[in-house]
């Protein structure tokens, strides 16, 4: 199944996070003096195409940005009416999710999300201190208060939401503080994204190292180090397995548990093939290989969605999967290969040997897998034998005490 990130406002956002990799897209996606907002007729055309060509009876739409709420409430009201109309024709069920910075949510938005069963993703980097470090408005104002107000409207209207937290050089040193804060605001599903961006950009607005093997990438100051990221996730795992396994879902742990159960990873950067997982649909109808590979060069463009069938679109995602499969000799010998498959191609800029690169997060991933695998195996045993979960904390304590002797 192809997964699309629909960007009705393209790069347009009402805040300017320091680590955002999408704001720079305005330099080439939309010509100056043209609107970055998706035309409603274009959006309806994509809706119809997706419902018609999707093989499954359940059709999923993910709205992202920029800040997708800038498209306005009327845009989504019209879209949902069209979804319902087309879904009835094909006897299919439609599901919607939206990723937002939360600052624009008011009672009207919250009521709309509730009525239409939207899954809402809120980007929040921790409590006030940590969130405001990098998530500021264009004029440099803090945004935590506005996000908190948006969350209050969601809770008031009983809207299901999850949280996306960017792990950076500052909040990475406070894993339990971040984790407990997210629990305190009612997050039951958490996603932690480690940020790494490099400084040198070529004439096509992409990292210089992608084509220049002589380039030595310089991580941006906000980037999290691999070991800090590992310590962050391991600390949260230790807390989660003992206290929250039945009431909090953490995407990385869920993905690894799926793999331990014999299924494919749900996290794209841990999959063997990643093409087609995060296709970016821009506001001008152009499709790109991945949300993280939106560059003006033709190799990263799939084409105009109006001119391609879903089968043709899928065939054109092969480039990314080929990049994903092109792993180093170190990865091929690694005991954790089946869990990470070399990580995301966007992160493979550490020179290992001549013409071979490994992920920036390689050492961090190894630390994470080494630490949490025994615990995940314990969870699998509890599931298979249907052991009561209230025994798990003591079992985890005994397990890790044994391992550290």
């Amino acid at each position: 199944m192809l997964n699309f990130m629909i960007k009705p406002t393209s790069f347009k956002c009402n805040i300017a996070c320091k680590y955002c990799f999408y704001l720079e897209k305005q330099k080439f996606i939309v010509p100056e003096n043209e609107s970055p907002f998706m035309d409603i007729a274009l959006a309806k055309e994509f809706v119809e195409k997706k419902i018609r060509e999707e093989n499954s009876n359940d059709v999923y739409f993910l709205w992202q940005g920029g800040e997708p709420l800038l498209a306005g409430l009327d845009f989504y009201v019209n879209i949902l009416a069209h979804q319902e109309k087309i879904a009835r024709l094909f006897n299919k069920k439609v599901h919607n999710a939206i990723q937002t910075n939360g600052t624009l949510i008011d009672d009207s938005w919250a009521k709309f999300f509730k009525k239409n069963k939207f899954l809402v993703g809120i980007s929040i980097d921790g409590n006030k201190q940590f969130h405001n470090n990098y998530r500021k408005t264009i004029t440099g104002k803090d945004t935590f208060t506005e996000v908190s107000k948006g969350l209050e409207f969601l809770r008031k209207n009983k809207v299901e939401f999850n949280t996306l937290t960017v792990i950076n050089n500052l909040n990475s040193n406070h894993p339990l503080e971040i984790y407990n804060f997210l629990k305190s605001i009612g997050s039951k599903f958490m996603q932690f994204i480690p940020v790494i961006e490099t400084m040198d950009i070529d004439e096509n607005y992409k990292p210089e190292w992608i084509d220049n093997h002589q380039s030595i990438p310089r991580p941006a100051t906000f980037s999290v180090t691999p070991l800090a990221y590992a310590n962050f996730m391991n600390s949260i795992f230790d807390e989660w397995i003992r206290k929250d396994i039945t009431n909090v879902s953490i995407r990385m742990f869920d993905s690894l548990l799926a793999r331990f159960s014999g299924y494919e990873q749900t996290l794209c950067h841990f999959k063997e093939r990643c093409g087609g997982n995060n296709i970016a649909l821009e506001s001008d109808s152009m499709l790109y290989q991945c949300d993280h590979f939106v560059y003006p060069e033709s190799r990263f463009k799939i084409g105009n969605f109006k001119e391609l069938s879903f089968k043709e679109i899928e065939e054109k995602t092969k480039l990314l999967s080929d990049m994903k499969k092109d792993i180093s000799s170190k990865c091929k010998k690694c005991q954790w290969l089946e869990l990470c498959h070399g990580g995301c191609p966007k992160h493979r800029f550490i020179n290992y040997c001549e013409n071979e690169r490994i992920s920036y997060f390689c050492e961090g991933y190894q630390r994470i897998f080494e630490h949490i695998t025994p615990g995940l195996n314990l969870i699998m045993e509890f599931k298979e034998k249907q052991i009561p979960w209230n025994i798990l904390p003591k079992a985890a304590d005994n397990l890790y005490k044994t391992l550290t002797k």
Side-chain angles (χ1 to χ4, degrees):
M1 181 186 296
L2 297 174
N3 294 309
F4 297 86
M5 289 186 172
I6 312 166
K7 296 180 173 289
T9 61
S10 187
F11 52 81
K12 196 72 175 177
C13 192
N14 62 320
I15 69 174
C17 303
K18 187 174 181 179
Y19 49 65
C20 181
F21 64 89
Y22 223 81
L23 288 174
E24 65 191 36
K25 309 304 179 186
Q26 62 183 305
K27 297 175 183 176
F28 63 86
I29 287 181
V30 180
E32 195 173 357
N33 301 323
E34 288 191 19
S35 171
F37 292 85
M38 183 178 287
D39 183 77
I40 188 69
L42 185 68
K44 287 181 177 179
E45 189 173 350
F46 178 76
V47 163
E48 186 168 343
K49 186 183 188 74
K50 193 172 195 311
I51 294 174
R52 184 178 66 247
E53 296 195 32
E54 189 72 74
N55 291 326
S56 172
N57 288 328
D58 289 286
V59 186
Y60 294 85
F61 292 86
L62 172 58
W63 307 91
Q64 192 147 322
E67 173 47 54
L69 267 59
L70 287 174
L73 189 54
D74 286 347
F75 175 89
Y76 294 99
V77 169
N78 288 332
I79 286 297
L80 262 67
H82 193 65
Q83 285 180 344
E84 185 178 352
K85 174 185 172 183
I86 303 302
R88 276 200 306 266
L89 292 176
F90 291 91
N91 195 29
K92 293 184 178 182
K93 187 175 182 180
V94 168
H95 309 266
N96 286 281
I98 195 164
Q99 186 66 41
T100 170
N101 62 42
T103 61
L104 300 176
I105 296 174
D106 57 15
D107 203 48
S108 296
W109 276 110
K111 282 182 167 61
F112 170 80
F113 293 144
K114 179 65 177 178
K115 177 183 177 182
N116 296 288
K117 299 179 181 178
F118 264 68
L119 175 60
V120 180
I122 297 291
S123 299
I124 185 167
D125 288 353
N127 59 23
K128 184 176 183 179
Q129 172 192 351
F130 297 112
H131 179 87
N132 284 336
N133 281 322
Y134 294 127
R135 299 187 64 81
K136 296 180 181 292
T137 66
I138 296 171
T139 58
K141 294 182 179 179
D142 295 341
T143 61
F144 181 82
T145 299
E146 285 68 30
V147 179
S148 298
K149 289 177 182 176
L151 282 166
E152 188 56 42
F153 283 118
L154 295 181
R155 289 191 293 263
K156 171 188 168 185
N157 288 278
K158 296 181 171 54
V159 177
E160 183 180 357
F161 71 91
N162 56 42
T163 52
L164 185 155
T165 301
V166 175
I167 308 308
N168 54 63
N169 66 314
L170 298 176
N171 63 3
S172 60
N173 298 315
H174 304 270
L176 295 187
E177 190 172 348
I178 301 297
Y179 179 58
N180 288 324
F181 168 77
L182 294 175
K183 287 198 296 181
S184 76
I185 63 173
S187 178
K188 301 293 184 183
F189 184 97
M190 304 176 190
Q191 185 175 178
F192 298 104
I193 305 294
V195 64
I196 171 63
E197 293 292 334
T198 52
M199 302 287 286
D200 301 302
I201 305 299
D202 69 14
E203 66 277 7
N204 288 309
Y205 309 100
K206 70 179 188 300
E208 191 177 84
W209 60 265
I210 289 181
D211 290 329
N212 182 2
H213 282 247
Q214 305 305 313
S215 174
I216 300 176
R218 298 176 298 149
T221 55
F222 51 70
S223 301
V224 63
T225 67
L227 295 185
Y229 174 55
N231 179 67
F232 184 95
M233 295 307 301
N234 289 343
S235 297
I236 288 179
F237 180 83
D238 290 346
E239 184 82 353
W240 174 78
I241 193 175
R242 291 169 172 86
K243 296 182 179 180
D244 299 312
I245 189 170
T246 59
N247 51 40
V248 175
S249 177
I250 296 176
R251 192 175 180 193
M252 174 189 271
F253 306 154
D254 289 348
S255 182
L256 291 168
L257 282 169
R259 188 71 188 93
F260 278 42
S261 301
Y263 300 102
E264 186 180 33
Q265 293 256 31
T266 56
L267 276 176
C268 62
H269 56 267
F270 286 161
K271 289 186 177 186
E272 186 174 6
R273 295 179 70 258
C274 61
N277 280 282
N278 289 308
I279 298 172
L281 171 60
E282 266 298 334
S283 59
D284 62 353
S285 78
M286 188 62 65
L287 297 168
Y288 292 82
Q289 293 275 343
C290 173
D291 186 50
H292 287 272
F293 284 88
V294 176
Y295 302 122
E297 297 169 74
S298 59
R299 57 178 162 155
F300 297 112
K301 291 181 181 179
I302 293 174
N304 192 313
F305 84 82
K306 297 190 287 186
E307 300 169 357
L308 299 166
S309 69
F310 271 31
K311 184 178 180 181
E312 290 171 322
I313 292 171
E314 186 171 16
E315 289 171 354
K316 288 178 176 288
T317 65
K318 185 175 181 294
L319 168 71
L320 209 57
S321 286
D322 286 347
M323 291 173 67
K324 175 74 172 178
K325 289 181 178 180
D326 185 19
I327 57 176
S328 69
S329 56
K330 180 181 181 180
C331 290
K332 291 175 182 176
K333 295 180 289 186
C334 180
Q335 64 174 317
W336 307 114
L337 176 61
E338 289 302 310
L339 292 186
C340 97
H341 295 288
C344 178
K346 181 76 178 288
H347 300 153
R348 293 181 191 168
F349 57 81
I350 301 299
N351 289 326
Y352 171 62
C353 60
E354 188 175 359
N355 295 322
E356 287 192 358
R357 292 168 172 166
I358 60 174
S359 171
Y360 170 81
F361 289 111
C362 178
E363 187 178 3
Y365 287 153
Q366 291 183 67
R367 293 280 185 96
I368 292 171
F369 298 148
E370 182 178 0
H371 181 77
I372 73 174
T373 291
L376 294 177
N377 283 328
L378 182 64
I379 293 170
M380 293 300 301
E381 182 182 354
F382 267 61
K383 282 186 173 183
E384 291 166 4
K385 296 181 179 179
Q386 297 184 332
I387 302 172
W389 289 116
N390 64 331
I391 302 174
L392 182 61
K394 186 174 181 181
D397 283 339
N398 292 335
L399 171 66
Y400 281 99
K401 282 178 184 176
T402 301
L403 292 173
T404 54
K405 282 184 178 178

